[in-house]
Amino acid sequence: GQQLNQSPQSMFIQEGEDVSMNCTSSSIFNTWLWYKQDPGEGPVLLIALYKAGELTSNGRLTAQFGITRKDSFLNISASIPSDVGIYFCAGQTGTASKLTFGTGTRLQVTL
Amino acid sequence: GAVVSQHPSWVICKSGTSVKIECRSLDFQATTMFWYRQFPKQSLMLMATSNEGSKATYEQGVEKDKFLINHASLTLSTLTVTSAHPEDSSFYICSARDPTSGRSDTQYFGPGTRLTVL
């Protein structure tokens, strides 16, 4: 099935640094979602975006819905050890439609 | 908030046997549930969409006779892996849509079930 491309694939950062990751698609989506998955667990929703150009924050997390509807960005400010995990973007074409997940960005934080 | 549980959290079985995985929405009724499979270090891949009271819709390449899905009630969907083989070993995750939430497209994910087939 279709997958969204995420970059970077993985990253090591120092505690306190800011993090940026993005997600791109060849298709248009009407909803963009960002999830975090810890090892051995299901994904947890971080931020949901519903309008092109929308910028939404959730604590230290900020995400944007790209104007073209084909991309989205997630920024994490002042990273802490518990930010470690895999971050997935997901797109939806319409209300109640299925999710298409990105390839994931693995974040590791060094003290 | 909406909670989705899965049982068991992990299971080990012999090749050729069948395994049933349950997905429950604990505090809401879910007319639609989804089943995903995730191989190590890979993304989640949708296997099928389960609608209460009707047949599941399977994604291309997923064998419906091998992965039996039953959504008999508004709070329970089951995935049965029939005649399991080692290549079926994976992390199986379900999600459920809460139609009463502010956004009807919001999906809540279960904690996953780790299946290992020997």
Side-chain angles (χ1 to χ4, degrees):
Chain A
Q2 178 189 11
Q3 277 194 335
L4 307 177
N5 294 314
Q6 284 185 243
S7 65
Q9 197 172 35
S10 65
M11 54 196 314
F12 286 85
I13 62 170
Q14 287 198 333
E15 185 177 3
E17 287 184 347
D18 296 341
V19 175
S20 291
M21 60 188 79
N22 65 22
C23 184
T24 58
S25 168
S26 58
S27 305
I28 289 175
F29 288 99
N30 294 316
T31 299
W32 283 92
L33 306 161
W34 284 92
Y35 290 87
K36 179 175 183 278
Q37 185 180 30
D38 291 328
E41 298 183 16
V44 174
L45 182 64
L46 299 174
I47 291 181
L49 303 158
Y50 302 106
K51 290 174 60 176
E54 179 181 353
L55 184 70
T56 297
S57 293
N58 178 8
R60 294 180 294 107
L61 279 61
T62 302
Q64 184 160 27
F65 191 141
I67 291 292
T68 65
R69 297 191 193 177
K70 293 183 177 181
D71 57 8
S72 180
F73 302 86
L74 176 69
N75 296 316
I76 304 173
S77 63
S79 57
I80 58 178
S82 62
D83 289 335
V84 165
I86 304 176
Y87 292 80
F88 289 103
C89 64
Q92 273 184 310
T93 54
T95 301
S97 66
K98 59 187 181 183
L99 295 176
T100 299
F101 275 85
T103 48
T105 293
R106 184 180 298 271
L107 179 64
Q108 293 179 269
V109 179
T110 57
L111 298 177
Chain B
V3 179
V4 176
S5 70
Q6 284 184 239
H7 178 81
S9 55
W10 58 270
V11 57
I12 301 173
C13 70
K14 293 182 178 180
S15 185
T17 61
S18 295
V19 174
K20 180 184 286 188
I21 302 170
E22 294 184 347
C23 177
R24 292 182 186 273
S25 55
L26 299 185
D27 49 3
F28 66 98
Q29 294 183 325
T31 53
T32 305
M33 290 183 173
F34 302 86
W35 287 95
Y36 295 83
R37 181 167 51 183
Q38 184 179 32
F39 291 108
K41 296 189 177 181
Q42 293 189 24
S43 186
L44 284 76
M45 296 299 292
L46 180 65
M47 299 175 66
T49 302
S50 168
N51 293 298
E52 187 267 337
S54 64
K55 291 184 178 180
T57 302
Y58 290 81
E59 294 300 301
Q60 191 173 9
V62 178
E63 301 174 58
K64 62 180 181 180
D65 294 330
K66 180 170 182 62
F67 299 99
L68 301 179
I69 291 173
N70 186 294
H71 193 159
S73 78
L74 288 172
T75 60
L76 173 64
S77 176
T78 60
L79 168 68
T80 301
V81 183
T82 62
S83 187
H85 287 88
E87 57 265 30
D88 298 324
S89 298
S90 187
F91 194 50
Y92 291 86
I93 308 172
C94 73
S95 71
R97 179 181 291 140
D98 180 0
T100 66
S101 70
R103 297 287 308 196
S104 61
D105 48 0
T106 301
Q107 292 184 30
Y108 299 93
F109 284 82
T113 296
R114 172 81 56 196
L115 170 63
T116 302
V117 184
L118 302 177

